[in-house]
Each structure stands twice: as C-alpha cells, then as structure tokens.
Amino acid sequence: MKVAVVGARGRMGATVVQAVENAPDLELVAQLDAADTISAQTLNGAEVAVEFTVPSQTDDNVHALLDAGVHVVVGTTGWTPERLAHVDEHAQRLGKGVLIAPNFSISAVLVMHFSKQAAALFESVEIIELHHPNKVDAPSGTAMSTAAGIAQARAAAQLPPCPDATEDDALGARGAVVDGINVHAVRLRGLNAHEEVIFGNPGEQLVLRQDSFDRESFMPGVLLAVRKVGNEAGLTFGLESYLNLK
Ligand code: NAP
C-alpha cells in the first residue's frame, strides 16, 4: 500500500515516516509539509495519506487530500462536530474513507473503552491524568473523553452522582469536574502521557491505567488505521471502531 505523510517534518509526522518505512507491506511515496501543496501530483500515487499537522490547517488539508483522491488518516486535534460532519459528507460523496482519531495509543483507547464498561458497576470514579510539564492544556483531551464516556454510561444506568461530602474546597483540591466526574491533572518532569481511572465500591477498588512512554506508542494504531481506512467510505471517528471491541 502506498502512503503519504502530511506534516512529515513534525514530531508525530517524522515518527510516522519512520514507522511506514519500517513496515514491509507499506511504501512511503510522499512526504509533505507546510511549504508543499497537496495535489494528486505531489501525493505521487499514494492511496492513503496520514495527516499530523496543526489544528488550524487540518480541516483544509483533509478536504484537499480527499479531492486529490486518497483515503485519509488524521491525528491532528481541534475538530468540531460541524467540521466532522462536513468531512463525512465529502468522503461519502467521493467514496473515500477518513479516520480521525484523537488518540492512536491502543492502551489509551482501551482504558476509555473499559472505563465505559465499568462505569455502571461502581459507586465512585475519579480520573488522574499525568503528563510531562511542557503540556499547555489541562485536563488532557483523553481525560475529557474518558470522563464523558463514563458520565454517559452512569447516566444510562441512572446512577446518582458519586458520593462526596466535601463542603469546603476553597483551593480546588478536589480537581476539575468534567461531566460530573472529578479529574486531577499531574505535571511531572520525567513523565510522558499517562492516565489512571479509579473505580470504588464498598470494600473494593478497580484501577485502569495506561502509560504512553513515547511517540512510538501511537504507531501501531496509526499503521492499523492506514491498513483499514480504505475499507469503508465516509468518516470513522476514533480508533476503537477498528479494534473489534464489543
Ligand atoms: P509539530 O511537531 O508541530 O508538527 C506539525 C507539522 O505540521 C510541522 O512540521 C508543520 O510544519 C507542519 N504543518 C503545518 N501546517 C501545515 C500544512 N498546512 N500542511 C502540511 N504540513 C503543515 O506537532 P506534533 O507534535 O507532530 O503534533 C501534530 C498534531 O498531532 C497536533 O495537533 C497534536 O495535538 C496531534 N497529536 C495527536 C496524537 C493522536 O494520537 N491523535 C498524538 C500526538 C499528537 P512547520 O513547522 O513548518 O509549520
């Protein structure tokens, strides 16, 4: 399968270039970056393009890639529901597949998935996300998605709010509250990207934890997406759809 990488000189793009070059069933045919134009000619026969650029450019890039005739795997963040709907319509019209995944780490996707399954079975749940100190936003997007999934599952099971007698928290020690779930953010030198979801019932605890030690952690997910994205026209959101999870 012939693959192009857009944002090839970026941190993620360069790691994808390496991963595609190391995959025996994939052939890297184009590396594009900010100064390059996206066209059938510059894509050089690619069947799939992987896009890791910047939130302000990704939308334009994806539409240009679809017009140039390739399936697209996108890791860039910053998508809105309206933009996703527009991509879906465009991809369906051209019979191309697009996967947009906010997190390509298989362990992170599984923590989100298992959290949704466990959510209805525990009285209490809290999330701790831990990252390197250079991260500019908190809580992480993955923690926000995890909280949203848990909140949805708790609502569907008609669970009451998690028990919490705190009346006075002037310093915010109970963390952020995302969709009713407390989320704590740790920023620590030496860490990369990690998430822990703690579930509690009387007399028992379940801890789900994932650790992404470096950008390599995203590559199995990216390559899986490259191999699968052409199987279905339209937009698929989230890597979980490709993992045969029930
Ligand atoms: P980065 O190092 O800043 O790389 C971005 C690259 O895109 C740069 O080489 C940049 O070139 C290039 N670029 C900018 N505008 C472009 C355009 N119009 N066309 C083509 N290339 C363009 O960022 P990164 O760390 O690789 O992250 C990229 C994105 O992936 C971010 O949104 C990040 O949040 C996301 N991300 C997602 C996952 C996931 O699992 N989904 C994991 C990690 C990161 P210049 O430097 O010349 O502008």
Side-chain angles (χ1 to χ4, degrees), residues 14-74:
T15 315
V16 174
V17 163
Q18 203 72 56
V20 171
E21 281 178 335
N22 291 340
D25 60 326
L26 304 178
E27 185 189 350
L28 185 71
V29 293
Q31 300 185 43
L32 305 184
D33 221 83
D36 302 307
T37 307
I38 292 171
S39 69
Q41 198 179 10
T42 56
L43 288 170
N44 192 29
E47 297 155 87
V48 176
V50 180
E51 205 268 6
F52 276 97
T53 62
V54 287
S56 60
Q57 294 300 318
T58 185
D59 192 33
D60 286 351
N61 285 347
V62 172
H63 290 291
L65 288 164
L66 285 170
D67 286 333
V70 293
H71 306 291
V72 194
V73 171
V74 186

Side-chain angles (χ1 to χ4, degrees), residues 6-7 9-13 33-34 52-55 57 61 75-77 101-104 218:
V6 181
R9 290 216 303 267
R11 285 165 293 194
M12 284 299 290
D33 221 83
F52 276 97
T53 62
V54 287
Q57 294 300 318
N61 285 347
T76 314
T77 45
N103 199 323
F104 278 101
F218 303 116

Side-chain angles (χ1 to χ4, degrees), residues 115 117-126 150-151 153-155 157-165 174 180-182 197-206:
S115 293
Q117 292 185 320
L121 304 172
F122 287 86
E123 243 183 83
S124 294
V125 56
E126 303 213 0
I150 290 171
R154 285 180 68 95
Q158 298 186 324
L159 290 191
C162 297
D164 182 0
R174 294 287 293 115
I181 310 295
N182 287 65
V197 186
I198 312 173
F199 293 95
N201 263 343
E204 65 172 347
Q205 176 180 262
L206 170 70

Side-chain angles (χ1 to χ4, degrees), residues 206-218:
L206 170 70
V207 180
L208 299 175
R209 179 176 172 119
Q210 72 84 214
D211 297 280
S212 288
F213 299 114
D214 59 35
R215 280 182 206 99
E216 281 292 304
S217 64
F218 303 116

